[in-house]
Amino acid sequence: MRPIFTVLLALFLTACQINPYTFQPDWTGTDWFTVGKEDAMNGASVKSNETLADNFNEHDVDRSEYLRGYNDGQKRICTEDFVYAWGLSGKIFPASCDTAENTEGLRQSWQKGMDEGTRASRLN
């Protein structure tokens, strides 16, 4: 009885083994469009090629894709409603909107949100 139990235990334990190379990710390189879009949507200004190369440890920066993504993110974030909400939450004016078409109107919407957010926090 004991040898059968030992063999069954050994079979059971070997069946539960996980191959350590099964879930290894494949390196596909940096998606510069997404990097640019995220920079713009986080309110950051355009980064230089040197900064991008250092941040992502990749010397071949696709500048045109980065700027295309940045412009896409800028279109999404640089709207009066979005910067109003940004100011309402107490965040500084996003640097990515400094080069937008309607910067003055965006700053006014942001300031309005900032003033209302400050006033509401004083009441609480």
Side-chain angles (χ1 to χ4, degrees):
M1 179 74 175
R2 188 170 181 114
I4 294 173
F5 179 72
T6 306
V7 170
L8 287 176
L9 181 63
L11 285 173
F12 177 73
L13 291 177
T14 57
C16 294
Q17 180 181 0
I18 296 175
N19 184 352
Y21 301 106
T22 303
F23 303 105
Q24 184 176 5
D26 294 329
W27 178 252
T28 58
T30 305
D31 181 6
W32 293 111
F33 180 85
T34 304
V35 170
K37 187 174 181 176
E38 287 177 2
D39 279 353
M41 293 190 71
N42 288 328
S45 58
V46 175
K47 294 179 181 166
S48 68
N49 283 359
E50 293 81 19
T51 303
L52 291 169
D54 288 344
N55 289 350
F56 292 93
N57 197 25
E58 191 171 327
H59 298 290
D60 297 328
V61 176
D62 189 348
R63 187 74 178 172
S64 62
E65 276 298 297
Y66 174 79
L67 291 175
R68 196 170 69 84
Y70 192 88
N71 287 335
D72 188 54
Q74 194 177 36
K75 287 177 189 172
R76 293 175 185 262
I77 191 176
C78 297
T79 63
E80 291 188 13
D81 292 337
F82 195 90
V83 294
Y84 169 79
W86 199 296
L88 195 61
S89 66
K91 294 181 179 181
I92 63 170
F93 186 77
S96 57
C97 293
D98 283 336
T99 58
E101 293 176 5
N102 185 17
T103 303
E104 190 57 40
L106 294 173
R107 281 198 178 272
Q108 289 174 357
S109 294
W110 170 81
Q111 189 62 53
K112 182 180 175 186
M114 184 65 88
D115 293 343
E116 288 180 20
T118 303
R119 199 169 30 253
S121 67
R122 287 183 188 159
L123 295 175
N124 291 330

